[in-house]
PDB file of all heavy atoms in Angstrom:
ATOM      1  N   GLU A 291      -4.401  14.870  -5.588  1.00  0.00           N
ATOM      2  CA  GLU A 291      -5.352  15.976  -5.753  1.00  0.00           C
ATOM      3  C   GLU A 291      -5.259  16.611  -7.133  1.00  0.00           C
ATOM      4  O   GLU A 291      -6.270  16.840  -7.796  1.00  0.00           O
ATOM      5  CB  GLU A 291      -5.181  16.979  -4.600  1.00  0.00           C
ATOM      6  CG  GLU A 291      -5.643  16.335  -3.291  1.00  0.00           C
ATOM      7  CD  GLU A 291      -5.545  17.189  -2.043  1.00  0.00           C
ATOM      8  OE1 GLU A 291      -4.945  18.281  -2.100  1.00  0.00           O
ATOM      9  OE2 GLU A 291      -6.087  16.754  -1.006  1.00  0.00           O
ATOM     10  N   PRO A 324     -11.580  39.864  -5.594  1.00  0.00           N
ATOM     11  CA  PRO A 324     -10.230  39.302  -5.682  1.00  0.00           C
ATOM     12  C   PRO A 324      -9.183  40.296  -5.169  1.00  0.00           C
ATOM     13  O   PRO A 324      -8.592  41.049  -5.932  1.00  0.00           O
ATOM     14  CB  PRO A 324     -10.060  39.012  -7.177  1.00  0.00           C
ATOM     15  CG  PRO A 324     -11.001  39.937  -7.862  1.00  0.00           C
ATOM     16  CD  PRO A 324     -12.110  40.256  -6.910  1.00  0.00           C
ATOM     17  N   MET A 358     -18.643  30.244 -10.142  1.00  0.00           N
ATOM     18  CA  MET A 358     -17.742  31.161  -9.464  1.00  0.00           C
ATOM     19  C   MET A 358     -17.448  32.336 -10.383  1.00  0.00           C
ATOM     20  O   MET A 358     -17.492  32.203 -11.612  1.00  0.00           O
ATOM     21  CB  MET A 358     -16.466  30.388  -9.115  1.00  0.00           C
ATOM     22  CG  MET A 358     -15.406  31.086  -8.304  1.00  0.00           C
ATOM     23  SD  MET A 358     -15.919  32.207  -7.003  1.00  0.00           S
ATOM     24  CE  MET A 358     -16.544  31.141  -5.740  1.00  0.00           C
ATOM     25  N   ILE A 406     -17.520  34.430 -14.408  1.00  0.00           N
ATOM     26  CA  ILE A 406     -17.792  35.804 -14.831  1.00  0.00           C
ATOM     27  C   ILE A 406     -16.920  36.783 -14.062  1.00  0.00           C
ATOM     28  O   ILE A 406     -16.379  36.455 -13.002  1.00  0.00           O
ATOM     29  CB  ILE A 406     -19.279  36.193 -14.642  1.00  0.00           C
ATOM     30  CG1 ILE A 406     -19.701  35.995 -13.183  1.00  0.00           C
ATOM     31  CG2 ILE A 406     -20.169  35.403 -15.583  1.00  0.00           C
ATOM     32  CD1 ILE A 406     -21.120  36.447 -12.902  1.00  0.00           C
ATOM     33  N   TRP A 439     -19.030  62.129   3.010  1.00  0.00           N
ATOM     34  CA  TRP A 439     -17.788  62.267   2.269  1.00  0.00           C
ATOM     35  C   TRP A 439     -16.630  61.764   3.122  1.00  0.00           C
ATOM     36  O   TRP A 439     -16.473  62.174   4.270  1.00  0.00           O
ATOM     37  CB  TRP A 439     -17.594  63.745   1.916  1.00  0.00           C
ATOM     38  CG  TRP A 439     -16.348  64.015   1.150  1.00  0.00           C
ATOM     39  CD1 TRP A 439     -15.176  64.520   1.628  1.00  0.00           C
ATOM     40  CD2 TRP A 439     -16.136  63.807  -0.246  1.00  0.00           C
ATOM     41  NE1 TRP A 439     -14.258  64.623   0.629  1.00  0.00           N
ATOM     42  CE2 TRP A 439     -14.823  64.189  -0.548  1.00  0.00           C
ATOM     43  CE3 TRP A 439     -16.950  63.311  -1.285  1.00  0.00           C
ATOM     44  CZ2 TRP A 439     -14.280  64.103  -1.821  1.00  0.00           C
ATOM     45  CZ3 TRP A 439     -16.404  63.238  -2.553  1.00  0.00           C
ATOM     46  CH2 TRP A 439     -15.099  63.630  -2.815  1.00  0.00           C
ATOM     47  N   VAL A 452     -21.154  53.843   5.911  1.00  0.00           N
ATOM     48  CA  VAL A 452     -20.707  54.603   7.064  1.00  0.00           C
ATOM     49  C   VAL A 452     -21.058  53.798   8.306  1.00  0.00           C
ATOM     50  O   VAL A 452     -22.217  53.527   8.577  1.00  0.00           O
ATOM     51  CB  VAL A 452     -21.423  55.971   7.131  1.00  0.00           C
ATOM     52  CG1 VAL A 452     -20.908  56.782   8.303  1.00  0.00           C
ATOM     53  CG2 VAL A 452     -21.234  56.714   5.824  1.00  0.00           C
ATOM     54  N   GLU A 478     -38.973  53.368  -3.823  1.00  0.00           N
ATOM     55  CA  GLU A 478     -40.209  53.036  -4.502  1.00  0.00           C
ATOM     56  C   GLU A 478     -40.558  51.549  -4.320  1.00  0.00           C
ATOM     57  O   GLU A 478     -41.688  51.145  -4.508  1.00  0.00           O
ATOM     58  CB  GLU A 478     -40.071  53.368  -5.989  1.00  0.00           C
ATOM     59  CG  GLU A 478     -41.377  53.689  -6.629  1.00  0.00           C
ATOM     60  CD  GLU A 478     -41.197  54.564  -7.852  1.00  0.00           C
ATOM     61  OE1 GLU A 478     -41.027  55.799  -7.685  1.00  0.00           O
ATOM     62  OE2 GLU A 478     -41.202  54.015  -8.957  1.00  0.00           O
ATOM     63  N   ILE A 493     -33.106  32.719   6.824  1.00  0.00           N
ATOM     64  CA  ILE A 493     -33.011  32.534   8.266  1.00  0.00           C
ATOM     65  C   ILE A 493     -33.528  33.805   8.940  1.00  0.00           C
ATOM     66  O   ILE A 493     -33.441  34.903   8.388  1.00  0.00           O
ATOM     67  CB  ILE A 493     -31.570  32.198   8.738  1.00  0.00           C
ATOM     68  CG1 ILE A 493     -30.564  33.233   8.247  1.00  0.00           C
ATOM     69  CG2 ILE A 493     -31.170  30.796   8.306  1.00  0.00           C
ATOM     70  CD1 ILE A 493     -29.181  33.062   8.863  1.00  0.00           C
ATOM     71  N   GLN A 500     -33.202  42.781   7.311  1.00  0.00           N
ATOM     72  CA  GLN A 500     -33.812  43.413   6.145  1.00  0.00           C
ATOM     73  C   GLN A 500     -34.948  44.333   6.592  1.00  0.00           C
ATOM     74  O   GLN A 500     -35.064  45.461   6.138  1.00  0.00           O
ATOM     75  CB  GLN A 500     -34.370  42.355   5.188  1.00  0.00           C
ATOM     76  CG  GLN A 500     -33.312  41.489   4.526  1.00  0.00           C
ATOM     77  CD  GLN A 500     -32.941  41.994   3.143  1.00  0.00           C
ATOM     78  OE1 GLN A 500     -33.756  42.037   2.238  1.00  0.00           O
ATOM     79  NE2 GLN A 500     -31.705  42.406   2.987  1.00  0.00           N
ATOM     80  N   TYR A 551     -37.186  82.392   7.554  1.00  0.00           N
ATOM     81  CA  TYR A 551     -37.608  83.359   8.573  1.00  0.00           C
ATOM     82  C   TYR A 551     -36.450  84.010   9.308  1.00  0.00           C
ATOM     83  O   TYR A 551     -36.595  84.522  10.412  1.00  0.00           O
ATOM     84  CB  TYR A 551     -38.623  82.715   9.523  1.00  0.00           C
ATOM     85  CG  TYR A 551     -39.963  82.615   8.863  1.00  0.00           C
ATOM     86  CD1 TYR A 551     -40.279  81.515   8.080  1.00  0.00           C
ATOM     87  CD2 TYR A 551     -40.871  83.665   8.938  1.00  0.00           C
ATOM     88  CE1 TYR A 551     -41.478  81.433   7.403  1.00  0.00           C
ATOM     89  CE2 TYR A 551     -42.080  83.608   8.264  1.00  0.00           C
ATOM     90  CZ  TYR A 551     -42.379  82.482   7.505  1.00  0.00           C
ATOM     91  OH  TYR A 551     -43.564  82.434   6.836  1.00  0.00           O
ATOM     92  N   ASP A 559     -28.170  85.199  15.316  1.00  0.00           N
ATOM     93  CA  ASP A 559     -26.720  84.996  15.542  1.00  0.00           C
ATOM     94  C   ASP A 559     -26.462  83.665  16.235  1.00  0.00           C
ATOM     95  O   ASP A 559     -25.607  82.882  15.838  1.00  0.00           O
ATOM     96  CB  ASP A 559     -26.140  86.097  16.438  1.00  0.00           C
ATOM     97  CG  ASP A 559     -26.049  87.398  15.683  1.00  0.00           C
ATOM     98  OD1 ASP A 559     -26.336  87.366  14.458  1.00  0.00           O
ATOM     99  OD2 ASP A 559     -25.710  88.420  16.312  1.00  0.00           O
ATOM    100  N   GLU A 562     -27.247  80.786  13.952  1.00  0.00           N
ATOM    101  CA  GLU A 562     -26.209  80.574  12.952  1.00  0.00           C
ATOM    102  C   GLU A 562     -24.998  79.856  13.552  1.00  0.00           C
ATOM    103  O   GLU A 562     -24.440  78.936  12.952  1.00  0.00           O
ATOM    104  CB  GLU A 562     -25.780  81.913  12.372  1.00  0.00           C
ATOM    105  CG  GLU A 562     -25.279  81.759  10.975  1.00  0.00           C
ATOM    106  CD  GLU A 562     -25.119  83.103  10.281  1.00  0.00           C
ATOM    107  OE1 GLU A 562     -25.050  84.154  10.971  1.00  0.00           O
ATOM    108  OE2 GLU A 562     -25.063  83.099   9.042  1.00  0.00           O
ATOM    109  N   TYR A 614     -35.233  62.435   7.676  1.00  0.00           N
ATOM    110  CA  TYR A 614     -36.281  61.481   8.052  1.00  0.00           C
ATOM    111  C   TYR A 614     -37.607  62.180   8.241  1.00  0.00           C
ATOM    112  O   TYR A 614     -37.649  63.301   8.777  1.00  0.00           O
ATOM    113  CB  TYR A 614     -35.884  60.738   9.337  1.00  0.00           C
ATOM    114  CG  TYR A 614     -36.849  59.612   9.659  1.00  0.00           C
ATOM    115  CD1 TYR A 614     -36.964  58.522   8.800  1.00  0.00           C
ATOM    116  CD2 TYR A 614     -37.661  59.660  10.789  1.00  0.00           C
ATOM    117  CE1 TYR A 614     -37.861  57.502   9.058  1.00  0.00           C
ATOM    118  CE2 TYR A 614     -38.561  58.638  11.068  1.00  0.00           C
ATOM    119  CZ  TYR A 614     -38.660  57.565  10.201  1.00  0.00           C
ATOM    120  OH  TYR A 614     -39.548  56.559  10.452  1.00  0.00           O
ATOM    121  N   VAL A 622     -43.070  65.572  22.524  1.00  0.00           N
ATOM    122  CA  VAL A 622     -43.975  65.113  23.576  1.00  0.00           C
ATOM    123  C   VAL A 622     -43.104  64.600  24.725  1.00  0.00           C
ATOM    124  O   VAL A 622     -42.868  63.405  24.847  1.00  0.00           O
ATOM    125  CB  VAL A 622     -44.909  63.995  23.062  1.00  0.00           C
ATOM    126  CG1 VAL A 622     -45.910  63.578  24.150  1.00  0.00           C
ATOM    127  CG2 VAL A 622     -45.665  64.440  21.806  1.00  0.00           C
ATOM    128  N   GLY A 690     -54.296  66.788   9.057  1.00  0.00           N
ATOM    129  CA  GLY A 690     -53.312  65.703   9.010  1.00  0.00           C
ATOM    130  C   GLY A 690     -53.899  64.471   8.401  1.00  0.00           C
ATOM    131  O   GLY A 690     -55.060  64.429   8.012  1.00  0.00           O
ATOM    132  N   PRO A 712     -18.563  52.908 -16.045  1.00  0.00           N
ATOM    133  CA  PRO A 712     -18.974  54.264 -16.418  1.00  0.00           C
ATOM    134  C   PRO A 712     -20.502  54.337 -16.496  1.00  0.00           C
ATOM    135  O   PRO A 712     -21.139  53.394 -16.967  1.00  0.00           O
ATOM    136  CB  PRO A 712     -18.362  54.469 -17.803  1.00  0.00           C
ATOM    137  CG  PRO A 712     -17.266  53.465 -17.906  1.00  0.00           C
ATOM    138  CD  PRO A 712     -17.695  52.294 -17.062  1.00  0.00           C
ATOM    139  N   PRO A 743      -8.674  60.722  -7.589  1.00  0.00           N
ATOM    140  CA  PRO A 743      -9.809  61.630  -7.755  1.00  0.00           C
ATOM    141  C   PRO A 743      -9.248  63.052  -7.787  1.00  0.00           C
ATOM    142  O   PRO A 743      -8.225  63.324  -7.155  1.00  0.00           O
ATOM    143  CB  PRO A 743     -10.630  61.421  -6.491  1.00  0.00           C
ATOM    144  CG  PRO A 743     -10.097  60.205  -5.832  1.00  0.00           C
ATOM    145  CD  PRO A 743      -8.717  60.001  -6.317  1.00  0.00           C
ATOM    146  N   LEU A 787     -27.834  36.191 -12.288  1.00  0.00           N
ATOM    147  CA  LEU A 787     -28.583  36.017 -13.542  1.00  0.00           C
ATOM    148  C   LEU A 787     -27.618  35.657 -14.668  1.00  0.00           C
ATOM    149  O   LEU A 787     -27.906  34.826 -15.526  1.00  0.00           O
ATOM    150  CB  LEU A 787     -29.332  37.297 -13.911  1.00  0.00           C
ATOM    151  CG  LEU A 787     -30.359  37.801 -12.904  1.00  0.00           C
ATOM    152  CD1 LEU A 787     -30.944  39.137 -13.362  1.00  0.00           C
ATOM    153  CD2 LEU A 787     -31.468  36.766 -12.728  1.00  0.00           C
ATOM    154  N   LYS A 847     -34.587  31.888  -3.263  1.00  0.00           N
ATOM    155  CA  LYS A 847     -35.616  31.170  -2.525  1.00  0.00           C
ATOM    156  C   LYS A 847     -35.257  31.052  -1.056  1.00  0.00           C
ATOM    157  O   LYS A 847     -36.114  31.105  -0.195  1.00  0.00           O
ATOM    158  CB  LYS A 847     -35.707  29.767  -3.111  1.00  0.00           C
ATOM    159  CG  LYS A 847     -37.108  29.350  -3.487  1.00  0.00           C
ATOM    160  CD  LYS A 847     -37.131  27.857  -3.702  1.00  0.00           C
ATOM    161  CE  LYS A 847     -37.741  27.517  -5.029  1.00  0.00           C
ATOM    162  NZ  LYS A 847     -37.532  26.133  -5.421  1.00  0.00           N
ATOM    163  N   HIS A 852     -23.112  31.921   7.157  1.00  0.00           N
ATOM    164  CA  HIS A 852     -22.054  31.210   7.882  1.00  0.00           C
ATOM    165  C   HIS A 852     -21.405  32.114   8.912  1.00  0.00           C
ATOM    166  O   HIS A 852     -21.418  33.328   8.781  1.00  0.00           O
ATOM    167  CB  HIS A 852     -20.982  30.738   6.899  1.00  0.00           C
ATOM    168  CG  HIS A 852     -20.453  31.851   6.042  1.00  0.00           C
ATOM    169  ND1 HIS A 852     -21.022  32.189   4.835  1.00  0.00           N
ATOM    170  CD2 HIS A 852     -19.435  32.716   6.238  1.00  0.00           C
ATOM    171  CE1 HIS A 852     -20.362  33.214   4.325  1.00  0.00           C
ATOM    172  NE2 HIS A 852     -19.396  33.560   5.147  1.00  0.00           N
ATOM    173  N   ASN A 918      -6.083   3.950   5.080  1.00  0.00           N
ATOM    174  CA  ASN A 918      -5.576   2.632   5.480  1.00  0.00           C
ATOM    175  C   ASN A 918      -6.622   1.525   5.397  1.00  0.00           C
ATOM    176  O   ASN A 918      -6.271   0.351   5.421  1.00  0.00           O
ATOM    177  CB  ASN A 918      -5.008   2.693   6.897  1.00  0.00           C
ATOM    178  CG  ASN A 918      -3.778   3.596   6.946  1.00  0.00           C
ATOM    179  OD1 ASN A 918      -3.133   3.828   5.914  1.00  0.00           O
ATOM    180  ND2 ASN A 918      -3.461   4.120   8.115  1.00  0.00           N
ATOM    181  N   LEU A 924     -12.436  -6.517   2.606  1.00  0.00           N
ATOM    182  CA  LEU A 924     -13.081  -7.820   2.423  1.00  0.00           C
ATOM    183  C   LEU A 924     -13.896  -7.830   1.132  1.00  0.00           C
ATOM    184  O   LEU A 924     -14.353  -6.776   0.678  1.00  0.00           O
ATOM    185  CB  LEU A 924     -14.023  -8.108   3.598  1.00  0.00           C
ATOM    186  CG  LEU A 924     -13.420  -7.975   4.993  1.00  0.00           C
ATOM    187  CD1 LEU A 924     -14.521  -7.979   6.054  1.00  0.00           C
ATOM    188  CD2 LEU A 924     -12.435  -9.122   5.247  1.00  0.00           C
ATOM    189  N   CYS A 999      -9.230   0.524  -5.132  1.00  0.00           N
ATOM    190  CA  CYS A 999      -9.947  -0.661  -4.654  1.00  0.00           C
ATOM    191  C   CYS A 999     -10.829  -1.284  -5.733  1.00  0.00           C
ATOM    192  O   CYS A 999     -11.564  -2.237  -5.462  1.00  0.00           O
ATOM    193  CB  CYS A 999     -10.783  -0.317  -3.426  1.00  0.00           C
ATOM    194  SG  CYS A 999      -9.782   0.279  -2.061  1.00  0.00           S
ATOM    195  N   GLU A1066     -48.650  -6.945  45.585  1.00  0.00           N
ATOM    196  CA  GLU A1066     -49.789  -7.119  44.684  1.00  0.00           C
ATOM    197  C   GLU A1066     -49.597  -6.186  43.470  1.00  0.00           C
ATOM    198  O   GLU A1066     -49.253  -5.015  43.636  1.00  0.00           O
ATOM    199  CB  GLU A1066     -51.059  -6.727  45.441  1.00  0.00           C
ATOM    200  CG  GLU A1066     -52.319  -6.859  44.627  1.00  0.00           C
ATOM    201  CD  GLU A1066     -53.480  -6.084  45.279  1.00  0.00           C
ATOM    202  OE1 GLU A1066     -53.326  -5.702  46.486  1.00  0.00           O
ATOM    203  OE2 GLU A1066     -54.487  -5.847  44.610  1.00  0.00           O
TER     204      GLU A1066
END
Side-chain angles (χ1 to χ4, degrees):
E291 292 180 351
M358 185 37 72
I406 57 176
W439 180 259
V452 182
E478 207 155 280
I493 54 171
Q500 293 264 297
Y551 284 87
D559 287 354
E562 208 168 19
Y614 188 64
V622 183
L787 300 176
K847 231 195 232 167
H852 53 271
N918 295 338
L924 308 167
C999 299
E1066 180 196 346

